[in-house]
């Protein structure tokens, strides 16, 4: 016999066909979506140890003893964070170079790579040359990115748990924007996008972010002490002024909005205000995004030196440049950066 609730529902459908059918379809799709992503929301028992990195390359060749981490890690030195919010588990040459260059320039820091594609409970990484190469650096740790745990205890927790969030057009970059400000708030340290090549140690750039140009701040590099009020305001603005349908609204535009309020400014300029520094473009964005093709143009050693003399890291603008072929070896600016600052990755590129 048909249950009474189902019988009533059937009568409603028959009497209000268009609206009832729409509601039923919406409920069914929402229920299916929630079941599909329920595993994402499970509260973990803990992050667990770093994944073991089975070295399948010669570490003696990749990391000469003079560059190896001999002094050991300093527990008081802030971490350097990279985040991969997609399920991607085949790191690119640029990804490998970013982590390698950070590991070489920060020998006393943990370089923590958080990857959403890593399953909790497993202790080994997929077989891939980049993971094997990075295993040569004892200060590199590859960990699963547990988003529920990361956002817990912050204003972004309920934002993330909204079941239809994944349908937004820019969800992955917005998720990355969310991760970096929460990491800085909870743990402090340095955050870098995986399309940076690090030239110098970044530890003395504290409570700082960079101007990318056009009076806009960019969050591809962040360096903050934990629980800093500026990052707290960023989290609050993320939720209060949320718009996931506009590219950059939760990223560069958010940081620019908050910094203007923080300093009571109308336009962004290189300055330090109430303990937070907006760094000049040449510090971490020496190549403007409009000029990204310069990365693939040949430069002399002198030109390279002059271009980068005040630079700590170079943003490669991978969203724009990833489809451009890079000749290896060559005198292209980007090729020279690979050669000097991530030589192990560069050797793999030449081999391939």
């Amino acid at each position: 016999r048909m249950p009474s609730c189902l019988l009533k529902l059937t009568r409603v459908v028959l009497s209000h066909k268009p609206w009832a059918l729409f509601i039923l379809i919406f409920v069914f799709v929402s229920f299916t979506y929630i079941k599909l992503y329920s595993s994402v929301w499970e509260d973990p028992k803990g992050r667990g140890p770093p994944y073991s990195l089975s070295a399948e390359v010669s570490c003696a060749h990749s990391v000469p003893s003079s560059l190896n981490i001999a002094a050991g890690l300093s527990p008081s030195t802030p971490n350097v964070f990279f985040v991969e919010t997609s399920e991607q588990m085949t790191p690119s040459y640029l990804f490998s170079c970013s982590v390698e260059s950070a590991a070489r320039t920060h020998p006393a820091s943990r370089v923590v790579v958080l990857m959403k594609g890593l399953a909790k409970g497993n202790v080994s990484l997929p077989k891939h040359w980049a993971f094997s190469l990075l295993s040569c650096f004892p200060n590199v740790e590859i960990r699963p990115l547990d988003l529920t745990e990361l956002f817990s205890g912050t204003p972004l927790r309920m934002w993330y748990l909204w079941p239809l969030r994944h349908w937004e057009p820019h969800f992955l970059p917005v998720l990355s924007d969310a991760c970096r400000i929460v990491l800085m708030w909870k743990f402090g340290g340095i955050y870098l996008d995986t399309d940076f090549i690090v030239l110098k140690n970044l530890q003395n750039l504290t409570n700082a972010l960079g101007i990318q140009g056009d009076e806009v701040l960019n969050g591809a590099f962040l360096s903050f002490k934990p629980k800093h009020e500026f990052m707290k305001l960023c989290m609050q603005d993320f939720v209060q002024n949320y718009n996931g349908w506009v590219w950059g609204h939760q990223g560069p535009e958010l940081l620019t909005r908050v910094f203007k309020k923080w300093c009571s400014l109308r336009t962004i300029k290189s300055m330090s205000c109430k303990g937070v520094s907006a760094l000049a473009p040449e510090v971490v964005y020496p190549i403007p995004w409009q000029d990204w093709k310069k990365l693939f143009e040949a430069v002399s050693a002198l030109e390279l030196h002059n271009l980068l003399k005040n630079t700590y890291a170079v943003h490669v603008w991978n969203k724009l440049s990833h489809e451009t072929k890079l000749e290896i070896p060559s005198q292209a600016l980007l090729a020279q950066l690979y050669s000097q600052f991530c030589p192990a990755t560069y050797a793999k590129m030449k081999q391939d």
Side-chain angles (χ1 to χ4, degrees):
R1 189 179 174 183
M2 183 181 293
S4 59
C5 61
L6 186 58
L7 185 59
K8 291 179 181 178
L9 184 60
T10 303
R11 289 172 179 170
V12 170
V13 171
L14 292 175
S15 59
H16 302 85
K17 288 182 181 180
W19 282 107
L21 184 60
F22 173 80
I23 293 171
L24 282 174
I25 292 173
F26 179 81
V27 171
F28 174 76
V29 170
S30 299
F31 177 77
T32 304
Y33 184 86
I34 291 170
K35 294 296 290 182
L36 179 64
Y37 284 95
S38 60
S39 61
V40 175
W41 308 334
E42 291 177 0
D43 194 21
K45 299 299 182 182
R47 269 186 296 237
Y51 275 54
S52 63
L53 303 172
S54 57
E56 297 174 0
V57 297
S58 171
C59 288
H61 171 73
S62 299
V63 187
S65 57
S66 61
L67 292 175
N68 214 332
I69 316 299
L73 301 175
S74 170
S76 61
T77 305
N79 293 335
V80 179
F81 291 100
F82 292 92
V83 174
E84 177 56 68
T85 54
S86 74
E87 301 288 341
Q88 177 63 251
M89 289 302 296
T90 54
S92 65
Y93 295 118
L94 182 54
F95 181 107
S96 175
C97 182
S98 296
V99 179
E100 178 187 346
S101 63
R104 288 178 181 274
T105 51
H106 298 79
S109 300
R110 285 182 172 83
V111 178
V112 182
V113 184
L114 300 171
M115 303 188 74
K116 187 173 181 292
L118 293 180
K120 285 176 58 64
N122 197 354
V123 293
S124 60
L125 285 162
K127 290 186 180 297
H128 189 275
W129 66 265
F131 294 132
S132 297
L133 185 152
L134 295 175
S135 73
C136 297
F137 296 88
N139 60 334
V140 172
E141 297 183 2
I142 313 289
R143 292 181 177 271
L145 173 60
D146 191 322
L147 292 165
T148 305
E149 181 181 3
L150 177 63
F151 294 136
S152 66
T154 76
L156 278 74
R157 178 179 177 273
M158 294 309 297
W159 164 84
Y160 175 67
L161 292 180
W162 173 243
L164 305 183
R165 186 68 63 206
H166 294 246
W167 289 356
E168 294 175 353
H170 308 302
F171 175 69
L172 284 181
V174 169
L175 182 60
S176 178
D177 293 332
C179 288
R180 68 192 68 185
I181 61 176
V182 172
L183 281 169
M184 290 297 95
W185 162 252
K186 280 192 167 185
F187 308 109
I190 295 167
Y191 167 84
L192 291 168
D193 275 0
T194 54
D195 57 351
F196 260 110
I197 299 179
V198 186
L199 317 185
K200 302 172 186 174
N201 191 290
L202 298 161
Q203 297 291 359
N204 64 330
L205 303 178
T206 306
N207 300 331
L209 64 171
I211 301 173
Q212 71 170 29
D214 300 325
E215 298 181 347
V216 175
L217 293 166
N218 194 309
F221 157 80
L222 295 172
S223 176
F224 280 86
K225 292 182 178 179
K227 304 298 188 292
H228 196 283
E229 182 67 18
F230 185 84
M231 284 292 109
K232 181 179 179 181
L233 293 175
C234 287
M235 291 192 299
Q236 292 172 350
D237 185 281
F238 189 99
V239 176
Q240 293 169 2
N241 298 308
Y242 183 75
N243 187 341
W245 297 81
V246 176
W247 174 266
H249 186 80
Q250 302 304 120
E253 292 183 22
L254 180 151
L255 295 168
T256 303
R257 289 194 302 270
V258 174
F259 189 79
K260 285 180 177 179
K261 293 178 183 177
W262 180 264
C263 298
S264 301
L265 294 173
R266 291 196 175 194
T267 58
I268 296 293
K269 56 185 178 179
S270 177
M271 62 180 295
S272 181
C273 174
K274 294 196 288 187
V276 177
S277 297
L279 305 174
E282 61 264 23
V283 178
V284 287
Y285 304 111
I287 309 295
W289 68 266
Q290 302 94 327
D291 300 331
W292 65 268
K293 291 183 179 179
K294 288 184 177 180
L295 292 161
F296 298 87
E297 298 174 0
V299 296
S300 67
L302 180 59
E303 288 175 308
L304 180 64
H305 172 75
N306 290 336
L307 177 65
L308 304 178
K309 61 183 177 182
N310 297 318
T311 299
Y312 282 73
V314 177
H315 194 228
V316 178
W317 307 107
N318 187 55
K319 181 177 174 60
L320 299 170
S321 65
H322 69 280
E323 293 183 350
T324 304
K325 183 179 180 181
L326 176 65
E327 296 291 340
I328 295 292
S330 74
Q331 292 301 304
L333 170 57
L334 185 55
Q336 293 194 57
L337 293 176
Y338 274 107
S339 175
Q340 293 185 36
F341 300 102
C342 54
T345 301
Y346 183 71
K348 175 63 177 173
M349 295 171 76
K350 289 196 296 183
Q351 174 188 321
D352 291 347

